[in-house]
Amino acid sequence: MKYEEAVSRCWAEIDVDALLENYRTARGMLAPECELICVLKANAYGVGARQVAKLLRAEGAKTFAVACVSEAEEVLDEVPDADVLVLGLAGALEAERAIRRGILLTAFSENSAATIAAAAERAGKMARVHGKIETGLHRLGFDPADVNALTALAKHPLVRLEGVFTHLALRSHESDERQFAALDRACAALDAAGVRGYRKHACDSIGMVRYPERHMGAVRTGAWLYGVCPYRYEHPERCRPVVTLKARVAQLRTLPAGECVGYDDSHPLSHDARIATLSAGYVDGFPRFNGKGEVCIHGRRAPVLGLVCMDQMMVDVTGVPDAQEGDEAILLGGPITVDEYAATAAMNRNEALSRIGKRVPRVYLQSNAEPVIRMP
């Protein structure tokens, strides 16, 4: 796909310089022996897992984390020498396939441990595993008071336990400390059983900046890489925005007061208005707003009118007199920060980025380099 084609309708611009700076900043927060695990799940939060993996591997990143085996395979197809950790469930056939490719799997229960052990035996190859401990998020993980199944798995002749981790719920400092303590107890039990030589990790992007003393053997960083700065972090300028979602103005028209726009018949125009139809809709990732939200055209705000459609949306450009067909409209990014965008849609900021649709070309822009175009 040529650049002119990629930016002809709706596209996402990825600031590669910002992405790499965010990676370097995160890396600089960690001790040299602490591993930075770059999280690429959900297509790298919508940014594009294959290209992000390629860029970060060239920058020195070695280990990545994803949600499922298919995501791990996608990353390995792009960077075959990477280590990729699957954080979630892997079925029997997926686990066997993953083991054959050297993908790291997560054991979090007696059943998942049995699945991994059986898959390793069928594959006749060493399974690389991280064990997850449930410490208070109440999602996945072994009970920290009973790590017998994880101990047995770690002692299986075809299993190598390379990591033990948990995930913070981040409800409060006190509850986080209880989670750290629970992880420590579980690891002490493993150590007492003779299971050693693994990396311990608990911090994500928020934990990375909030608990520098608890980085342990590794930190799992996702949102930070893509420009989502932890709330209340005292140096937000260190986490640079990465994503800008744009769409073209497809058509302009003027409507009289009293007319309704699009599928919405409950909010007639209060004034004569100049309307722009944009070539993006909720399938492209913009929330299905009804008469709320704004975009930016020529540096000015344009309110959304009517109900956002699947493939198109309308905005009021009465206050943007120089708007023309073919102009760029910024839906997310620049003056429309991810914080504002997510808050208006009552969604999580990570969700806001991850919702960018699969038909939206990702345009990777880097200083002194030609744009790189990739589809998800």
Side-chain angles (χ1 to χ4, degrees):
M1 180 182 289
K2 296 180 179 178
Y3 176 79
E4 292 76 11
E5 295 175 291
V7 301
S8 62
R9 179 187 171 272
C10 174
W11 69 101
E13 292 181 354
I14 311 303
D15 185 338
V16 173
D17 295 314
L19 172 72
L20 296 181
E21 184 173 329
N22 290 344
Y23 168 79
R24 296 183 197 115
T25 302
R27 180 63 264 177
M29 293 183 192
L30 311 185
E33 66 275 10
C34 181
E35 186 174 28
L36 180 60
I37 301 173
C38 299
V39 182
L40 303 180
K41 62 182 181 179
N43 195 32
Y45 293 47
V47 175
R50 292 176 298 168
Q51 188 67 10
V52 170
K54 181 178 179 179
L55 290 164
L56 294 182
R57 184 71 188 97
E59 196 64 22
K62 172 67 173 176
T63 305
F64 303 96
V66 295
C68 57
V69 172
S70 61
E71 289 183 339
E73 291 171 327
E74 183 179 55
V75 171
L76 278 182
D77 288 344
E78 191 72 38
V79 281
D81 63 338
D83 285 333
V84 188
L85 168 64
V86 174
L87 296 169
L89 176 68
L93 295 180
E94 288 181 318
E96 182 178 347
R97 198 167 70 241
I99 291 166
R100 293 183 187 279
R101 292 198 67 175
I103 294 169
L104 292 88
L105 295 171
T106 293
F108 52 83
S109 66
E110 186 173 353
N111 284 341
S112 67
T115 296
I116 292 170
E121 291 166 4
R122 291 195 303 273
K125 185 177 178 181
M126 187 70 68
R128 304 172 64 197
V129 175
H130 282 221
K132 187 169 187 181
I133 308 300
E134 162 48 42
T135 61
L137 184 61
H138 305 305
R139 197 166 64 180
L140 292 178
F142 292 98
D143 185 332
D146 182 6
V147 293
N148 290 333
L150 181 56
T151 300
L153 180 67
K155 293 184 175 182
H156 190 286
L158 286 177
V159 172
R160 182 166 64 245
L161 185 68
E162 298 189 13
V164 176
F165 71 104
T166 195
H167 199 295
L168 300 175
L170 299 164
R171 299 187 184 101
S172 69
H173 178 81
E174 292 74 19
S175 67
D176 293 342
E177 288 299 330
R178 287 194 295 271
Q179 288 192 256
F180 286 130
L183 178 63
D184 290 343
R185 288 195 300 272
C187 290
L190 289 169
D191 293 349
V195 178
R196 298 183 177 88
Y198 53 81
R199 286 185 182 272
K200 185 165 67 170
H201 49 108
C203 290
D204 61 358
S205 294
I206 298 173
M208 177 181 71
V209 302
R210 190 174 293 178
Y211 301 112
E213 74 283 3
R214 299 306 299 256
H215 286 169
M216 306 180 196
V219 167
R220 306 181 304 273
T221 301
W224 175 278
L225 297 174
Y226 312 118
V228 178
C229 184
Y231 289 124
R232 298 182 299 279
Y233 179 51
E234 58 268 29
H235 296 291
E237 74 282 356
R238 301 184 71 189
C239 184
R240 292 179 54 189
V242 170
V243 181
T244 304
L245 180 62
K246 295 182 176 181
R248 293 287 177 193
V249 175
Q251 191 171 16
L252 291 165
R253 61 171 43 83
T254 300
L255 294 177
E259 281 292 309
C260 291
V261 177
Y263 293 116
D264 176 28
D265 60 1
S266 57
H267 299 90
L269 291 171
S270 61
H271 59 280
D272 294 347
R274 191 165 180 245
I275 309 301
T277 299
L278 306 183
S279 51
Y282 61 77
V283 167
D284 300 296
F286 196 84
R288 195 168 179 261
F289 289 144
N290 189 359
K292 71 173 183 176
E294 296 177 328
V295 304
C296 187
I297 302 174
H298 290 302
R300 298 188 181 184
R301 299 289 186 116
V304 174
L305 291 175
L307 186 64
V308 172
C309 309
M310 179 181 284
D311 313 301
Q312 299 170 87
M313 56 187 287
M314 283 68 78
V315 298
D316 186 348
V317 292
T318 307
V320 191
D322 51 346
Q324 301 179 27
E325 292 180 3
D327 281 348
E328 294 182 3
I330 298 176
L331 282 57
L332 165 64
I336 313 290
T337 67
V338 68
D339 288 41
E340 174 190 340
Y341 183 89
T344 304
M347 69 170 71
N348 176 274
R349 295 176 298 168
N350 298 344
E351 178 189 358
L353 296 182
S354 302
R355 284 167 56 104
I356 298 175
K358 66 179 183 179
R359 71 183 179 191
V360 178
R362 273 59 168 179
V363 180
Y364 298 88
L365 302 175
Q366 187 172 13
S367 299
N368 304 316
E370 291 294 317
V372 174
I373 315 298
R374 298 196 74 160
M375 298 298 294

